[in-house]
Amino acid sequence: MLTGWKLSVLGILVVGVTGIVASITGLIEPGRAIALFVVFVLFIGALELLERIKSRRKKKGEVRSSK
């Protein structure tokens, strides 16, 4: 099962390929497809950043409680 950054990379690849196919077939304008892809990548990046901050807080909490 994919988790963490591997799932994020897979999602970015799927959305990117879908955007390319949709713009080639004329379902969406290429400029709009690029903009939506950029928004999706920023969203995934923000989620990854929040997950890293959360895991750091857990580690710091464990270190503090053991002292």
Side-chain angles (χ1 to χ4, degrees), residues 33-52:
I34 292 169
L36 289 173
F37 179 73
V38 168
V39 168
F40 180 75
V41 169
L42 290 174
F43 177 72
I44 294 296
L47 288 177
E48 287 292 324
L49 182 62
L50 287 173
E51 188 65 32
R52 286 187 183 187

Side-chain angles (χ1 to χ4, degrees), residues 12-62:
I12 290 171
L13 289 174
V14 168
V15 169
V17 169
T18 305
I20 292 170
V21 170
S23 64
I24 288 174
T25 59
L27 296 173
I28 192 171
E29 300 164 0
R32 183 171 283 177
I34 292 169
L36 289 173
F37 179 73
V38 168
V39 168
F40 180 75
V41 169
L42 290 174
F43 177 72
I44 294 296
L47 288 177
E48 287 292 324
L49 182 62
L50 287 173
E51 188 65 32
R52 286 187 183 187
I53 290 170
K54 182 179 169 183
S55 67
R56 283 185 182 174
R57 284 187 180 170
K58 281 185 179 180
K59 288 179 183 177
K60 286 183 180 180
E62 291 174 1

